[in-house]
Amino acid sequence: MSQPVKINARTITKDEYFYGHKACGGCGESLALRLALKVIGEDAYLSLPAGCMAAVSFIYPNMAFKQNAIITPFASTAAVATGVAAGLKALNKNKLSVGFAGDGGTADIGIQALSGAIDRGEKFIYICTDNEAYMNTGIQKSGLTPFGASTTTTPAGKVIRGNVKPKKNMFEIVAAHGIAYAATASVGYLEDFMMKVQKAKEANGPAYIHVFSPCPTGWGHESDKTIEIAKEVVDNGLWYLAEFENGKFKLNKTPKLDSDVRLYLNAQSRFKHLTDDDIREIEALREEKWERLIKEWS
Amino acid sequence: MKDFKRVPVPTLERLDQYPLGSSCKSFHITDMNAGWRVFKPVIDKDKCVACYRCYLVCPDGAIHQSEDGKFEIDYDYCKGCGICANECKVKVIEMVKEAK
């Protein structure tokens, strides 16, 4: 693979392709979408399921996208995106089809369509903007909600301390298909994210990017702390930056595993009920995860 | 009209100016987000070092480079989230309470 061109704030296009949308102030997901579109370019075809990003951009008579975009049924983002890709191929148009879905639309409802699309090997990009719950419908737990997070369907009480299960391992599920390119990213490391979108664009087959994007409304943090939180979660090892390319995993960043996770957790009201025991459990989960990641991937 | 906005705001005075059916033109933006703000970011242009950071991190894309190389904010679409002020490396963006 050729060396990717250096991508940063100065080299990306000055044109905005996602403008005037109605996402909450400080929305990490809309930032991920905005920058991904700048890298992908103007003549791509977008497919979005009924999630936040569709709800904030297709408000009649508004249309916040520059690119062609379509709202898909919730379960079929990847099916529609590969269908569009097949249509473009039939018309001899050398253009890109991109699917954008949230964590629920990827890891729960849309996983079957995504699995099928990757299996067919069609050239398309799938970007999962992970805000760790169904935010659009009112903060219900999804398969990617982390351990201990309080949501409206896993409320924290005296007996149950928020969500009882850790996050589903979506990145490795996708990589297990033998996908051409897969990566995890975070809006705390935007240059890294844009570089991965560029790699996905150049990949010879399906590509998947899982981007961690904080939600001030659902997580209960200050709207100006979005980037800080997304950076902190990578630095303390609760989220990771990795790539899967040519059948091999690669870690992009080694976190400080002895750092205090409280800095991250205390900034968000969804974790405010956690006791010291719960936090020790979160730290134990982190340790267990990284022991495996370092052993297998580096 | 600034070129980053790409299209002028369409007029919607008569019914036939509204998009019909389930599809419409791309970038059909008819209203603004300015009323969302409680605090308004103000860039001190003399101290701005044009590092592109605020432009990069703005979820709304409401910050753009002006002709003098410095950055300015499109207040029609800024929601006042404060990310730019928080991320500014030289701390020259101040959040000012909106006057009634």
Side-chain angles (χ1 to χ4, degrees), chain A residues 10 13-14 16 19 21-23 25-27 31 34 38 42 60-66 223-224 227-228, chain B residues 4 18-19 25-31 33 36 52 55-56 58-61 65 74 79 81-82 86-87:
Chain A
R10 283 162 204 270
T13 171
K14 285 191 170 55
E16 298 294 341
Y19 202 75
H21 57 78
K22 307 289 180 202
C27 173
L31 175 60
R34 170 185 165 238
K38 274 174 178 270
E42 192 175 329
Y60 184 87
N62 283 290
M63 164 62 172
F65 287 108
K66 177 67 185 160
S223 65
D224 60 349
I227 309 285
E228 236 178 82
Chain B
F4 67 94
Y18 279 81
K25 278 184 186 168
S26 71
F27 253 166
H28 193 269
I29 301 163
T30 57
D31 54 1
N33 301 332
W36 295 33
Y52 287 68
Y55 156 77
L56 184 71
C58 178
D60 292 273
Q65 197 169 25
D74 179 6
K79 292 170 184 158
C81 67
N86 196 49
E87 290 297 316

Side-chain angles (χ1 to χ4, degrees), chain A residues 13 29 32 36 55 64 71 74 79 111 115:
Chain A
T13 171
E29 201 175 354
I71 305 183
F74 209 158
I111 193 167
S115 179

Side-chain angles (χ1 to χ4, degrees), chain A residues 180-199:
Chain A
Y181 181 74
T184 62
S186 161
V187 296
Y189 288 90
L190 290 167
E191 278 86 2
D192 173 80
F193 169 57
M194 293 190 292
M195 186 271 289
K196 284 169 177 167
V197 176
Q198 179 66 27
K199 273 194 174 178

Side-chain angles (χ1 to χ4, degrees), chain A:
Chain A
M1 194 178 206
S2 64
Q3 196 65 29
V5 279
K6 192 150 174 64
I7 291 178
N8 57 37
R10 283 162 204 270
T11 55
I12 53 173
T13 171
K14 285 191 170 55
D15 291 341
E16 298 294 341
Y17 299 136
F18 186 42
Y19 202 75
H21 57 78
K22 307 289 180 202
C24 311
C27 173
E29 201 175 354
S30 62
L31 175 60
L33 199 54
R34 170 185 165 238
L35 292 176
L37 290 182
K38 274 174 178 270
V39 178
I40 288 164
E42 192 175 329
D43 48 3
Y45 289 74
L46 317 179
S47 311
L48 300 100
C52 274
M53 286 305 106
V56 303
S57 45
F58 303 85
I59 302 173
Y60 184 87
N62 283 290
M63 164 62 172
F65 287 108
K66 177 67 185 160
Q67 284 91 344
N68 284 291
I70 184 173
I71 305 183
T72 73
F74 209 158
S76 57
T77 318
V80 172
T82 45
V84 170
L88 290 169
K89 207 196 267 173
L91 291 171
N92 272 329
K93 284 189 179 176
N94 189 20
K95 288 180 182 167
L96 205 54
S97 173
V98 187
F100 283 100
D103 49 298
T106 303
D108 302 342
I109 301 176
I111 193 167
Q112 177 269 126
L114 176 61
S115 179
I118 299 171
D119 188 44
R120 287 192 296 276
E122 200 93 50
K123 161 83 187 153
F124 81 116
I125 302 178
Y126 191 100
I127 296 182
C128 166
T129 43
D130 178 8
N131 50 23
E132 308 198 317
Y134 290 90
M135 296 309 180
N136 182 41
T137 47
I139 320 167
Q140 289 88 3
K141 176 207 174 292
S142 80
L144 292 176
T145 304
F147 174 79
S150 170
T151 67
T152 49
T153 46
T154 58
K158 280 184 190 139
V159 182
I160 295 177
R161 322 286 307 151
N163 186 22
V164 292
K165 299 257 289 186
K167 258 171 115 80
K168 196 189 264 190
N169 202 343
M170 197 60 210
F171 172 60
E172 281 173 77
I173 292 172
V174 168
H177 290 76
I179 191 169
Y181 181 74
T184 62
S186 161
V187 296
Y189 288 90
L190 290 167
E191 278 86 2
D192 173 80
F193 169 57
M194 293 190 292
M195 186 271 289
K196 284 169 177 167
V197 176
Q198 179 66 27
K199 273 194 174 178
K201 203 176 152 184
E202 288 164 1
N204 192 19
Y208 172 87
I209 295 175
H210 191 121
V211 53
F212 186 92
S213 36
C215 168
T217 309
W219 297 11
H221 64 76
E222 295 294 331
S223 65
D224 60 349
K225 298 281 184 290
T226 301
I227 309 285
E228 236 178 82
I229 283 173
K231 192 167 181 300
E232 178 60 31
V233 73
V234 174
D235 293 346
N236 69 18
L238 291 178
W239 182 240
Y240 55 98
L241 301 182
E243 282 176 295
F244 177 81
E245 223 178 341
N246 306 325
K248 281 200 181 65
F249 288 101
K250 190 174 97 190
L251 279 173
N252 299 128
K253 191 168 164 62
T254 317
K256 293 193 187 74
L257 289 176
D258 52 354
S259 60
D260 193 357
V261 293
R262 283 180 177 79
L263 198 62
Y264 168 72
L265 300 177
N266 290 351
Q268 304 168 46
S269 69
R270 62 172 179 160
F271 290 123
K272 71 170 189 285
H273 59 277
L274 295 182
T275 59
D276 287 348
D277 281 347
D278 299 327
I279 290 174
R280 267 195 290 280
E281 199 161 338
I282 289 175
E283 284 173 338
L285 282 170
R286 168 178 74 167
E287 215 160 283
E288 195 185 311
K289 184 175 88 182
W290 277 97
E291 206 173 299
R292 185 178 67 83
L293 292 192
I294 288 172
K295 202 170 87 188
E296 291 178 5
W297 293 1
S298 58

